[in-house]
Amino acid sequence: MFVGRTFERIFSLNKYEVVLVGTGKEGLEQVRTARPDLIMLDILLPDIDGIEVLRRLKGDVATSKIPVVIVTNSAEEKQVKQARSLGAVDYLLKAEYTPDQLVEKIKRCLQTGKS
Amino acid sequence: MKLSILVKLMGVVGLVALLVGGVGSFLVAREQSKLFDKLYMDKTQALVLSLDASVTEKDLEDPEDLRAGIYKLLLLNPDVLEISIFKSNAGKLEKLVSTGLSDAEHDDNQQNSEAFAGNKSVNHKETHDGILALDLFAPLHVSGRVAGTYNVVVSLKDLVDSQFKQTRDLMLLMIGAVALFVIGMSSLVKTVISNPLRKLIETTIEVEKGNFDGKIEVKGKDEIGDLAVAFSQMAKKLKHSYSELEKRVQEKTVELSTALKTTQNQNKTLEENKAAMLNLLEDEKELEETLEKRVLGRTKEVVEEKAKLLGSIEAIVRAYVLLDLQGQIILVNKKLTQFLGGVDGDWTLDKLQQKLGSVFDIKKAFANCLKEKNTFYVKEINLGAKFFDLYVAPVFVNETELVDVLILMGDITEEKVLDRSKDEFFSIASHELRTPLTAIRGNTDLILQFYGDQIKDPQFKEMIDDVHESSVRLIDIVNDFLDMSRLEIGKMEFKKENLDMGLIVAEMLKEYQVTGSRKKLSLEFVKPKGGAVWAVGDKDRVKQVLVNLIGNGLKFTEEGGVTISLSTEGNMVKVCVEDTGRGIPKENQSLLFRKFQQAGSSLFTRDTTKGTGLGLYISKLLIEGMGGKIELVRSEEGKGTVFAFTLPGVDKKIRTS
């Protein structure tokens, strides 16, 4: 969770409104009430894996339009392919970006996701 | 059979008499026959002549009268079998009148035309009913010219009959004379020759019995009398010779017995020789037995060898299938059944194919192996829960003669499972290692960025700085390690994207703009002439290599800067990264692309600020993974370094379409 908190901090310090959740189930619930502009999703989650969360998000009309960016440290080719085919906007490795770069990247994803 | 001289003599005399009689009567009969023949000939001639004379011009036109005359003639002369008259009509002979028995036989045109030419001919012939006849052809004269031909056939039957009768009578006469002669001769021979001879014979029999004193009473003064006297003398001489002979025989007997002894001695020697020979044979036999034992030994060895070979084939941890060139399975080991499950009866190529199903065409592989005479290797065949690898290899004798084909299958399920867990390890490790590091780096970064002015103690600030630097470095190391591992086991997948290289280089240079200006270094990009340069590769990986090369260039340069140039070389796109840095010592240049190699260091000195020493090694693996090459173009200490890498270019046709 402390990585999550770090991310929360990175984005809230950069003036973004952030809702942080700890599990896949929690995420799927919060999405309905929070109605975010973008979802950052990890693959390795405590309950359901991220790919499954992504599938459910895209399978639900209410959430299927929200752009999803996979932000993880798991870089298996299979997962990357799966995520992309399920409609993830991007697949980012946490460790490869400094906070500044990450913010920049997400900003760009928000623009492409909206358009 | 014993025939007395008398009988023989009489036989000879009789035969001679018969011969003389036979020849005599034959000659007489022949002479007679000639005479008759001539008689008949004359008769025929006369007939012909009268016929010739009687034919008139009128007859040639109207043969009715002529035919009547001829019939009359035939009636008067029963010997004449046939009369035919031919008329010449424009050189061709036409039948005018023909009578008689054998009309059909008249086709002898040769003789007929000969007759028309003036040559009379007379031949013997046999009519169709076997009667010997004279066949006469003659020219027909009418009014002094040859107007046609005749043919007259006259039977010689009466002639033959009378000849036969005469010959028979003659023969009977001769036989009677001979019989009388023989009887007379026999009684004469009996008294003059036969009787004295019999006496001689009787005496001879006596002599034969050993009685040499028999007297022969032959009084004749002829040759037989002389013979009897000579015989008596001979008997006397024989008597003498006989006693002489007996004496000689006795002497010879003594000689013989001596010779016998010698022979016996010789026999003994021979006997001894034979024994020696037998011994020799015995030795030979022993030798043979030894040989046989040796052969048995060898055979046993061969059998053991074979058993060892079969044992070793069973011991192989792979399924073993040996096939002949026709695809008949010669030998399999138990592993095959263990791997694929049992089959009814013996294994065949078909059954093997059935077991493999559509997963692998073993028959095709077998055919290919025969054709190419090469070993085929299939890395992975998935059958249900199991994984196999498979070799199809040609078996040679004397290195050239293809005799068999060998199929080997290995169960690689374990390795696959291990491989998977390795993959999982990398996945988990990368997550587990990078996650806390990301938190550390992210937080220190945030502290420095947003709370830096709150930190008054410079030492505290320095501590935060160190933690941040270390986390950054550690993330780099972990990333490098994971990349390297994945590259080394071939797990890295490369996308094949069409890349506008100019765009990518420009992007990279932008990212390094800050670093460059901080060190007051120039960053230049020499764009190629003639528009964009396209390459095929994985964008992220190409960027990774550029980061490494540009990063290195900036890191080791204090003055001047880094220049990147782009060019095409044949089908390849070439990227050069040139710096004006300190350069790489000659002795280290050859080791540059090796694992953990740092350009300026020996094996035992490491500069921890420089990086892991994996950068160039990973770059090399990445570029090679995308089908290109990376190299150190040149480097001079104090002057600078040039690295270059290539990537496959984009086929123009594909790009424009």
Side-chain angles (χ1 to χ4, degrees):
Chain A
M1 271 308 278
F2 57 88
V3 188
R5 276 209 305 275
T6 309
F7 275 80
E8 188 187 15
R9 237 173 262 144
I10 291 171
F11 283 95
S12 51
L13 282 169
N14 279 288
K15 317 289 181 217
Y16 286 91
E17 198 182 318
V18 183
V19 177
L20 178 68
V21 292
T23 67
K25 269 184 190 165
E26 209 183 319
L28 287 168
E29 280 165 25
Q30 289 285 329
V31 163
R32 293 176 176 277
T33 49
R35 301 226 137 257
D37 294 317
L38 184 138
I39 301 167
M40 280 191 266
L41 179 64
D42 202 343
I43 298 292
L44 292 168
L45 301 174
D47 50 354
I48 330 166
D49 75 78
I51 296 293
E52 182 56 32
V53 173
L54 178 62
R55 188 174 290 125
R56 289 193 201 176
L57 282 172
K58 291 294 166 188
D60 189 338
V61 197
T63 54
S64 64
K65 292 248 168 69
I66 307 169
V68 179
V69 177
I70 306 290
V71 181
T72 182
N73 268 325
S74 171
E76 256 206 276
E77 303 288 339
K78 214 172 98 187
Q79 290 171 349
V80 179
K81 273 185 196 163
Q82 259 182 316
R84 287 207 185 267
S85 70
L86 282 169
V89 178
D90 213 339
Y91 194 104
L92 306 177
L93 284 175
K94 290 180 198 168
E96 282 180 2
Y97 296 89
T98 63
D100 279 350
Q101 288 169 336
L102 191 68
V103 171
E104 187 62 30
K105 196 91 189 162
I106 292 300
K107 203 192 271 175
R108 245 182 269 166
C109 286
L110 263 171
Q111 283 158 5
T112 50
K114 268 177 191 163
S115 64
Chain B
M1 201 172 79
K2 199 171 163 186
L3 287 172
S4 75
I5 287 175
L6 183 61
V7 174
K8 281 179 190 163
L9 207 63
M10 300 252 283
V12 170
V13 170
L15 264 174
V16 170
L18 263 176
L19 208 65
V20 170
V23 169
S25 54
F26 172 73
L27 286 173
V28 171
R30 208 171 145 223
E31 213 42 49
Q32 204 87 18
S33 149
K34 269 187 185 162
L35 209 69
F36 273 104
D37 223 14
K38 198 173 175 296
L39 205 70
Y40 268 81
M41 203 76 87
D42 290 348
K43 187 178 166 186
T44 313
Q45 290 276 30
L47 194 76
V48 167
L49 282 176
S50 71
L51 210 62
D52 194 10
S54 64
V55 177
T56 62
E57 291 282 356
K58 188 184 153 269
D59 289 332
L60 290 178
E61 298 309 315
D62 179 17
E64 250 345 278
D65 290 347
L66 186 62
R67 187 174 289 136
I70 287 169
Y71 275 117
K72 206 185 268 173
L73 206 68
L74 283 176
L75 277 174
L76 290 171
N77 296 293
D79 291 345
V80 179
L81 298 173
E82 188 184 340
I83 294 170
S84 305
I85 293 168
F86 299 87
K87 176 180 96 169
S88 163
N89 188 1
K92 270 182 111 182
L93 289 169
E94 283 175 359
K95 197 174 276 176
L96 194 66
V97 180
S98 183
T99 64
L101 303 164
S102 49
D103 206 12
E105 286 181 26
H106 266 285
D107 51 357
D108 206 336
N109 282 318
Q110 177 70 30
Q111 270 177 289
N112 209 359
S113 47
E114 281 281 314
F116 187 63
N119 299 321
K120 214 186 276 178
S121 64
V122 181
N123 290 302
H124 282 106
K125 78 165 190 182
E126 209 167 292
T127 63
H128 62 89
D129 41 10
I131 296 165
L132 191 66
L134 276 178
D135 190 16
L136 181 136
F137 284 89
L140 173 70
H141 297 88
V142 178
S143 318
R145 68 180 166 92
V146 179
T149 55
Y150 308 34
N151 174 224
V152 178
V153 181
V154 182
S155 167
L156 294 175
K157 191 167 177 278
D158 285 354
L159 176 69
V160 173
D161 286 354
S162 68
Q163 255 179 308
F164 174 73
K165 252 182 232 160
Q166 278 196 345
T167 312
R168 191 186 60 194
D169 293 350
L170 206 65
M171 288 290 281
L172 283 174
L173 201 74
M174 290 296 292
I175 290 164
V178 167
L180 278 173
F181 175 72
V182 168
I183 290 162
M185 277 298 282
S186 71
S187 65
L188 185 72
V189 168
K190 200 173 177 181
T191 43
V192 177
I193 301 168
S194 203
N195 287 349
L197 270 179
R198 190 173 297 128
K199 275 241 164 122
L200 245 170
I201 289 164
E202 278 163 8
T203 318
T204 312
I205 290 166
E206 284 299 304
V207 170
E208 200 185 303
K209 282 175 183 165
N211 183 6
F212 297 104
D213 303 325
K215 286 264 166 19
I216 304 163
E217 289 166 33
V218 177
K219 285 172 185 125
K221 297 254 175 189
D222 55 6
E223 288 90 336
I224 291 179
D226 291 349
L227 187 66
V229 173
F231 189 84
S232 301
Q233 279 171 354
M234 192 190 73
K236 267 185 217 159
K237 264 197 181 159
L238 261 175
K239 192 183 172 186
H240 175 72
S241 296
Y242 189 77
S243 56
E244 191 78 0
L245 197 68
E246 260 184 357
K247 221 161 86 191
R248 286 253 187 94
V249 165
Q250 268 174 351
E251 283 168 18
K252 276 283 162 195
T253 310
V254 175
E255 268 175 41
L256 266 173
S257 69
T258 321
L260 189 69
K261 261 183 203 157
T262 319
T263 309
Q264 272 171 348
N265 281 341
Q266 275 169 354
N267 265 357
K268 210 172 152 195
T269 320
L270 267 175
E271 227 18 80
E272 281 164 12
N273 281 348
K274 190 178 156 194
M277 284 283 270
L278 280 174
N279 279 341
L280 217 67
L281 277 175
E282 196 80 12
D283 288 352
E284 188 91 350
K285 207 172 157 194
E286 258 170 49
L287 200 75
E288 229 165 73
E289 271 166 16
T290 324
L291 213 68
E292 207 166 307
K293 261 183 214 163
R294 221 179 285 167
V295 168
L296 275 176
R298 277 298 296 157
T299 311
K300 205 179 153 204
E301 270 173 43
V302 168
V303 168
E304 276 171 10
E305 206 72 24
K306 196 182 165 194
K308 266 189 210 168
L309 218 61
L310 286 175
S312 68
I313 286 169
E314 281 302 335
I316 297 174
V317 289
R318 289 169 176 277
Y320 176 104
V321 184
L322 189 65
L323 302 115
D324 66 16
L325 299 182
Q326 281 71 48
Q328 300 290 317
I329 290 184
I330 305 166
L331 185 64
V332 297
N333 64 359
K334 290 195 186 81
K335 278 279 184 294
L336 185 66
T337 307
Q338 273 178 32
F339 285 175
L340 299 179
V343 288
D344 290 334
D346 291 333
W347 278 95
T348 62
L349 197 55
D350 283 326
K351 285 177 192 170
L352 190 59
Q353 183 66 72
Q354 247 171 32
K355 287 280 182 190
L356 292 172
S358 59
V359 177
F360 183 69
D361 193 343
I362 188 81
K363 285 181 159 184
K364 197 173 156 197
F366 172 77
N368 278 342
C369 179
L370 281 188
K371 209 168 87 190
E372 314 260 332
K373 296 187 176 177
N374 269 333
T375 302
F376 289 84
Y377 174 57
V378 187
K379 208 166 147 192
E380 190 182 310
I381 294 172
N382 185 8
L383 283 178
K386 281 185 171 177
F387 290 87
F388 300 99
D389 66 353
L390 189 143
Y391 288 90
V392 183
V395 179
F396 292 104
V397 169
N398 301 328
E399 289 181 9
T400 50
E401 194 192 340
L402 182 64
V403 287
D404 289 325
V405 171
L406 179 63
I407 298 172
L408 286 176
M409 273 176 81
D411 187 344
I412 54 163
T413 313
E414 281 287 310
E415 285 95 315
K416 280 297 283 184
V417 169
L418 215 69
D419 227 28
R420 259 188 205 166
S421 58
K422 219 190 275 172
D423 280 357
E424 274 162 25
F425 166 77
F426 281 121
S427 174
I428 291 164
S430 61
H431 187 263
E432 294 301 327
L433 278 169
R434 289 197 262 197
T435 303
L437 284 169
T438 317
I440 296 169
R441 187 186 61 181
N443 281 306
T444 49
D445 202 318
L446 288 173
I447 292 168
L448 291 169
Q449 202 180 334
F450 293 96
Y451 304 97
D453 50 347
Q454 290 180 30
I455 304 165
K456 304 295 175 203
D457 189 339
Q459 210 162 358
F460 181 40
K461 176 116 184 330
E462 211 174 82
M463 282 158 72
I464 303 281
D465 270 340
D466 284 353
V467 172
H468 184 251
E469 280 297 318
S470 295
S471 70
V472 169
R473 193 171 139 63
L474 203 54
I475 285 178
D476 286 347
I477 290 170
V478 169
N479 284 343
D480 278 359
F481 265 63
L482 290 169
D483 276 348
M484 183 187 72
S485 301
R486 278 144 53 90
L487 280 165
E488 279 182 342
I489 59 171
K491 282 286 161 213
M492 180 92 70
E493 280 181 37
F494 294 97
K495 281 178 252 170
K496 287 196 170 176
E497 301 168 303
N498 286 350
L499 307 172
D500 182 343
M501 291 305 289
L503 215 65
I504 291 174
V505 172
E507 233 174 85
M508 292 309 300
L509 288 181
K510 210 173 162 191
E511 281 190 29
Y512 277 102
Q513 211 67 58
V514 186
T515 326
S517 56
R518 207 182 290 158
K519 277 185 90 176
K520 291 183 179 141
L521 296 171
S522 68
L523 272 172
E524 274 179 57
F525 175 32
V526 181
K527 284 179 188 166
K529 290 165 193 165
V533 174
W534 292 80
V536 177
D538 188 324
K539 188 178 177 185
D540 292 336
R541 302 305 173 195
V542 174
K543 274 186 174 177
Q544 201 176 334
V545 175
L546 279 169
V547 164
N548 185 251
L549 292 180
I550 297 169
N552 277 345
L554 289 175
K555 206 182 328 182
F556 298 113
T557 304
E558 304 304 329
E559 250 177 85
V562 176
T563 309
I564 298 166
S565 58
L566 210 54
S567 59
T568 50
E569 273 188 6
N571 302 328
M572 306 297 278
V573 172
K574 191 173 185 181
V575 182
C576 282
V577 180
E578 186 172 359
D579 67 51
T580 53
R582 62 168 98 140
I584 302 159
K586 271 257 162 8
E587 62 268 28
N588 286 344
Q589 286 182 5
S590 60
L591 304 169
L592 267 185
F593 291 98
R594 281 168 54 163
K595 222 189 271 190
F596 302 116
Q597 192 65 43
Q598 288 176 329
S601 69
S602 79
L603 213 60
F604 302 106
T605 61
R606 296 201 74 82
D607 184 346
T608 46
T609 62
K610 279 182 194 162
T612 54
L614 285 172
L616 282 174
Y617 176 65
I618 289 170
S619 292
K620 181 174 181 268
L621 293 179
L622 286 172
I623 289 296
E624 284 171 0
M626 288 185 285
K629 272 182 184 164
I630 189 166
E631 59 173 351
L632 173 70
V633 181
R634 65 172 182 274
S635 185
E636 221 174 304
E637 275 187 273
K639 285 197 174 172
T641 304
V642 184
F643 281 100
F645 67 85
T646 58
L647 284 171
V650 178
D651 193 334
K652 275 177 188 159
K653 283 178 204 158
I654 295 169
R655 181 158 36 94
T656 51
S657 65

